[in-house]
Every structure is written in structure tokens, then in C-alpha cells.
Amino acid sequence: MSNVQRADRAGLLLGIAAYSLWGVLPLYLHLLQAVPALQVLSHRVLWSLLLLAVIVVALRRVRSIAAAARGRTLLFLFGSAALIAINWLVYIWAVQHEHVLDASLGYFINPLVNVALGMLVLGERLRRWQGVAIGLAALGVLLLTLHGGGGGLWIPLALALSFGGYGLLRKVAAIDALGGLTVETLLLGPPALAMLLWANHSGTAAFGGSTRIDLLLIAAGVVTATPLLLFAAAAKRLPYATMGLLQYIAPTLQFLEAVLLFGEPVLPVHLATFALIWSGCALYAWDSLRAYRAAVRA
């Protein structure tokens, strides 16, 4: 086996692991259903920051990250930190309030949002089949909107747009994955700590009331940082088209959990919406793979 094949195989395993962990995240968050979403988010930030600080120090990356996180890059990271916090908060709330189905829809839409943002903001050219894929997804969202969306339409839109915007800012920020994530959690650290101190002062803090809950909250750092680091490692080894195909693992697992484990109702409008979204996603994935193969042959 050549070095390139080994890298591709390792990248594939890392990518599958990252998206699978994101896919089963609702199972972890469901165990924290009794903890307010803002407190879960705050613990997620602070324990991630502690873990990332250990990694950064161990890798001797402090100076390089500090040098990169300045000026325009730091402004982008302020924006990306705010967007990822919104994304995490909405996702936690959705799982806790039995909207995993809506959350999975958001992450099915997300790749198509990324393509649209690339065209509108970065001036990237939209291939014909990508345009058709976005049109199918938009039709699915419109169908859910006209039906009323079951009150949960804002969830997939908030998740897709916040993560799409996050990805856009991280794309233009001149800093690597580990450095960017470390700075983002560092920026979110003070408000997260303030939130937990206020909860403790008001007597509503979940931490300290149960060993089980405490351990689950402490585990938030590993649960958050591990798939992100696996994803960053996979992205360096795999073609963009392959990563585009792997990203559907997470929402597919979330959809199955919502229906099979959490017993969320699937209405006819959901089936019609998902059929349009899935068709758009499949078309997008096919077009990405086709374009990659054409580029390799060239």
C-alpha cells in the first residue's frame, strides 16, 4: 500500500469517526435534558477550553496561535465564535425539547447553504447541478414554511445559516483548525464563566448537585473537541468531494435517532420536505464527486 493510499485510508477513517460522533451527539445531550441549555453550552465552552489549552501547550503552539490571532483574523474569529455559540445553543435546545428531527434537517440543508454562500459572498461560480440541488432544498424549505413547519422551522434554518456563516468566516480567517477553535473558545470563555457564576449565585446551577450530571458536564470538553480535531485531521488527507459525501453521516444518524429512539412524529410534510432535501443533497454529492474525478483526470 502506497503512502498516498495509507493517507486516504486514514483520512477516511478519521472522517467517518468525526461525523459519526457528531451523529450520536443527541444521545449525550439527551442525558443532560434536566440541565438548562445555556448551562450546557457554558460547560461545553469551558471544559473544551481546558482540554484545548492542554493540547496547545503540549504541542508548543501558544506563540504561533497568538501571532496568527490578530487584526482582521481576530475580528473574523469574534464573528465565528458568536455563530458557533448560537449553533451549539440552538442544537442543545432542540435536542432537549424533542426537535432532533428538525435539527437533522438543518444539517442536511447546511452543505447547500455553504454552496450558496460561496457564490453570493466569495463570488464562486455555481455549477448547473449545484443550482438545481439548491433549488430542490429551497423548495423543501418553502413546503415546510407553507405548511407551518410544526413550529420548528426556525431550528433547521438557524442551524444551517449559523453553521454556514461559521464555515465561511473560518474559511477566510488566516488560522488553522486547532488555533481557530482555541481562540474561539477563549473568546467565549468569559461569558460562559459569567453565566455559570450567575447560575451558582441564583441557586439554579446544575453542577454540584449530582455526580452523574457533573461527570457528564465535565465530559463536554472531550465530546466537543474530539470530533472537531478528527475532522481537521481528515480534511488534510481527503479530497473536498469525499468530505462532502461523509458529512451526510451525521444528520442521517440524527434522523434515525429522532424516529427510532426518541419517538418523534414524522408527518407527511416532513417526508415530502426530506425527500426534496435528500434529493438536493444526493445531487450535490454526485456533482461534487463528478467534478473531482474530472479534475483528477485533467
Side-chain angles (χ1 to χ4, degrees):
M1 186 181 295
S2 68
N3 290 335
V4 173
Q5 288 175 320
R6 288 194 187 95
D8 285 347
R9 183 177 180 181
L12 187 63
L13 293 174
L14 289 167
I16 291 173
Y19 283 112
S20 296
L21 287 174
W22 276 324
V24 299
L25 183 59
L27 301 179
Y28 164 76
L29 293 175
H30 203 260
L31 297 174
L32 292 168
Q33 201 161 11
V35 181
L38 269 175
Q39 290 188 40
V40 176
L41 172 63
S42 298
H43 279 284
R44 195 172 180 181
V45 168
L46 292 177
W47 293 112
S48 296
L49 180 57
L50 179 61
L51 177 62
L52 289 168
V54 172
I55 294 173
V56 167
V57 171
L59 295 178
R60 299 181 180 179
R61 291 287 315 281
V62 176
R63 289 186 179 180
S64 63
I65 291 174
R70 294 180 180 179
R72 185 184 178 192
T73 299
L74 185 58
L75 289 177
F76 285 144
L77 291 175
F78 267 108
S80 64
L83 287 173
I84 199 62
I86 292 170
N87 184 270
W88 286 351
L89 182 60
V90 172
Y91 188 78
I92 293 166
W93 186 94
V95 173
Q96 291 184 337
H97 291 80
E98 300 180 351
H99 285 284
V100 178
L101 195 66
D102 294 317
S104 71
L105 176 60
Y107 288 112
F108 274 119
I109 296 173
N110 178 245
L112 306 177
V113 170
N114 291 342
V115 175
L117 286 174
M119 178 187 67
L120 296 173
V121 180
L122 301 178
E124 296 178 353
R125 294 184 62 183
L126 189 67
R127 295 192 296 270
R128 180 180 60 179
W129 291 114
Q130 286 180 324
V132 176
I134 292 175
L136 286 171
L139 185 59
V141 173
L142 178 62
L143 177 63
L144 198 61
T145 302
L146 295 176
H147 185 271
L153 180 62
W154 68 272
I155 295 172
L157 291 180
L159 289 173
L161 292 174
S162 62
F163 202 70
Y166 171 78
L168 178 65
L169 288 176
R170 287 302 304 271
K171 182 179 178 66
V172 297
I175 192 168
D176 66 5
L178 176 61
L181 181 60
T182 301
V183 175
E184 286 166 352
T185 51
L186 187 61
L187 293 172
L188 294 172
L193 180 60
M195 169 62 207
L196 293 180
L197 289 175
W198 176 84
N200 187 67
H201 177 73
S202 63
T204 60
F207 193 83
S210 160
T211 302
R212 173 178 168 275
I213 294 297
D214 291 351
L215 291 175
L216 286 170
L217 289 172
I218 291 171
V222 174
V223 169
T224 299
T226 299
L228 285 167
L229 295 175
L230 289 171
F231 169 80
K236 290 181 179 180
R237 293 169 170 83
L238 291 176
Y240 184 74
T242 305
M243 292 299 292
L245 293 173
L246 292 180
Q247 66 187 323
Y248 297 113
I249 293 174
T252 299
L253 289 173
Q254 293 162 9
F255 176 85
L256 293 174
E257 290 158 25
V259 177
L260 300 178
L261 298 180
F262 303 140
E264 294 186 18
V266 182
L267 304 176
V269 68
H270 285 133
L271 293 176
T273 297
F274 271 100
L276 288 166
I277 298 296
W278 283 329
S279 298
C281 289
L283 188 59
Y284 164 78
W286 169 79
D287 181 68
S288 297
L289 190 59
R290 184 179 63 88
Y292 168 70
R293 287 175 175 171
V296 170
R297 286 196 297 268

